[in-house]
Amino acid sequence: LTIEPGVVVNFNQSTALVIGGKLIAVGTEDKKITFYGGTVTFTDKSVNAVTDQNNNYVSGSIIKYSIIESGKSIGLNIDSSPFISNNIFRNYTPNTAGLYVINLHYSNSIIANNVIDNNSGTAINVYFSGAKIINNTITNNLTAFEISGGTSEISKNTIKNNYSGFYLQFQSNPKIQYNNIINNTESNIRMAQNTDIQANYNYWGAIEKSSINASVYDYYDNIGLGKVIYEPYALAELKFDGTDLFSQPPTCTSWIYSSWGTCTSGQQTRAITSSQPTNCTGGNPVLTQSCTVQPNVCSSWAYSGWSACQSNNTQTRTVTSSSPSSCSGGSPVLTQSCSYVAPICTSWVYSNW
């Protein structure tokens, strides 16, 4: 299905455009397509978008330069991976709690350069997805992101003036970096899971750690929750122009080490296997110590053959080599008992008769 620039798609209440193949809905900046009052559903049978290594659209399903507005249910319901870019989503007022403007369900979509504003539900629901959500402006919604599981990338977005910024659950492990997360009333991030997340290099609307902590609900508010690891963080609103500054990572204060190595020349070393706090640098780990070289004690030997039995009923042998290399000492067996047998005379020297 191809929808031309400037087309207005009016939905009856609670109806949807269901895509089981390929949708090409590409307007222009001056002639946007409008989807008014309903849901566009991409089923798991719809054609996924193909993109290049820079996340640019190549082929497949796409909605671009469209206005998607004024519905009472979900705006985009996505069970596949279309390309969603340069759209405006606004004025969705779901008549049931828990509905979303964009619902990503096991999706690897690219959601880029969109404006999602003034919706009374959740802007983007990310359910066990690996989507890339980049360069969007998400403002004045009930919740910007609800994330359940998955490893989505969420970067370079402005997430501002929502009631809640992020709500995370079900061992979510998203990459939340380089966003402006500002002035979200209830919290910038609220954890509902017991695993930690990385959310560094973001600007939080403040540079004092006490203010950032106050905008995050995590382990430090409820020890049953995971931590939001937000350092280093931006020191001003991010502009992405090469001038952005970030706080220094925290200094390490504790370490877990490998075992000490072999004593060599009076010194032995060890390595750091982990350190705390997370993402820390520096500090004063103890990586060397003095030691006394202990010579290797021999534990096995190669011997010469046994000598002839002597009149004292013993015979001897010598060590020809020993191990380990460069060892000394030990208890080699160099003598053993034997039965001395005197030789039988075969010639004599006599006195005179």
Side-chain angles (χ1 to χ4, degrees):
L1 173 64
T2 298
I3 301 176
E4 300 292 339
V7 168
V8 176
V9 181
N10 280 309
F11 292 83
N12 291 326
Q13 186 173 357
S14 301
T15 60
L17 173 62
V18 179
I19 307 300
K22 180 166 66 173
L23 174 65
I24 305 293
V26 180
T28 67
E29 289 195 55
D30 296 329
K31 287 188 174 182
K32 292 182 170 64
I33 297 167
T34 299
F35 297 90
Y36 188 87
T39 300
V40 178
T41 295
F42 290 90
T43 71
D44 59 3
K45 301 295 191 296
S46 65
V47 177
N48 292 331
V50 176
T51 58
D52 64 19
Q53 61 183 2
N54 295 316
N55 299 321
N56 296 309
Y57 172 80
V58 175
S59 64
S61 295
I62 179 173
I63 298 179
K64 186 174 183 180
Y65 291 124
S66 296
I67 297 172
I68 300 153
E69 65 178 342
S70 300
K72 299 295 184 182
S73 182
I74 296 172
L76 294 184
N77 196 23
I78 299 174
D79 286 300
S80 55
S81 299
F83 188 89
I84 309 297
S85 175
N86 298 90
N87 304 293
I88 298 171
F89 297 82
R90 65 192 180 194
N91 303 328
Y92 266 77
T93 55
N95 51 22
T96 302
L99 294 182
Y100 319 104
V101 180
I102 299 175
N103 182 37
L104 298 171
H105 185 257
Y106 296 102
S107 173
N108 294 320
S109 291
I110 291 178
I111 312 293
N113 304 306
N114 302 284
V115 174
I116 308 174
D117 180 63
N118 195 40
N119 302 285
S120 59
T122 296
I124 303 178
N125 179 54
V126 185
Y127 186 85
F128 290 92
S129 294
K132 293 183 179 180
I133 303 171
I134 308 167
N135 287 323
N136 302 282
T137 300
I138 304 170
T139 54
N140 302 305
N141 305 283
L142 179 63
T143 301
F145 288 92
E146 184 173 321
I147 304 176
S148 303
T151 56
S152 291
E153 175 186 336
I154 300 170
S155 63
K156 296 186 177 180
N157 302 284
T158 294
I159 303 156
K160 185 176 182 178
N161 295 336
N162 304 282
Y163 179 72
S164 175
F166 289 84
Y167 182 87
L168 295 107
Q169 59 187 347
F170 300 135
Q171 282 67 54
S172 303
N173 189 27
K175 182 180 180 181
I176 303 174
Q177 291 186 329
Y178 301 103
N179 302 282
N180 290 307
I181 308 172
I182 304 170
N183 198 34
N184 298 289
T185 308
E186 188 271 339
S187 60
N188 282 328
I189 294 186
R190 174 172 281 270
M191 297 286 279
Q193 63 183 44
N194 59 9
T195 53
D196 299 345
I197 65 159
Q198 294 282 340
N200 45 14
Y201 300 104
N202 299 292
Y203 179 60
W204 300 91
I207 60 173
E208 299 84 9
K209 290 176 65 174
S210 59
S211 296
I212 298 172
N213 290 337
S215 75
V216 172
Y217 186 86
D218 67 352
Y219 170 88
Y220 298 103
D221 304 284
N222 178 343
I223 61 172
L225 300 174
K227 299 175 184 177
V228 176
I229 300 164
Y230 62 76
E231 295 185 86
Y233 54 87
L235 298 176
E237 189 163 347
L238 294 167
K239 300 177 181 178
F240 311 112
D241 60 0
T243 65
D244 295 322
L245 299 176
F246 299 90
S247 66
Q248 296 300 310
T251 300
C252 298
T253 55
S254 65
W255 299 266
I256 295 175
Y257 301 97
S258 66
S259 300
W260 287 108
T262 303
C263 188
T264 304
S265 301
Q267 190 174 74
Q268 58 189 160
T269 61
R270 62 182 177 180
I272 295 170
T273 59
S274 65
S275 55
Q276 291 291 331
T278 304
N279 293 333
C280 66
T281 61
N284 296 293
V286 179
L287 300 178
T288 62
Q289 69 176 5
S290 298
C291 57
T292 300
V293 177
Q294 299 293 331
N296 289 331
V297 177
C298 298
S299 57
S300 65
W301 299 264
Y303 300 96
S304 66
W306 288 106
S307 67
C309 189
Q310 303 300 306
S311 59
N312 61 354
N313 294 317
T314 61
Q315 58 187 158
T316 63
R317 62 182 177 180
T318 60
V319 172
T320 59
S321 65
S322 56
S323 63
S325 179
S326 302
C327 67
S328 62
S331 302
V333 179
L334 300 179
T335 64
Q336 71 175 4
S337 298
C338 58
S339 297
Y340 175 75
V341 178
I344 297 173
C345 297
T346 57
S347 65
W348 298 264
V349 177
Y350 299 96
S351 66
N352 293 328
W353 287 105

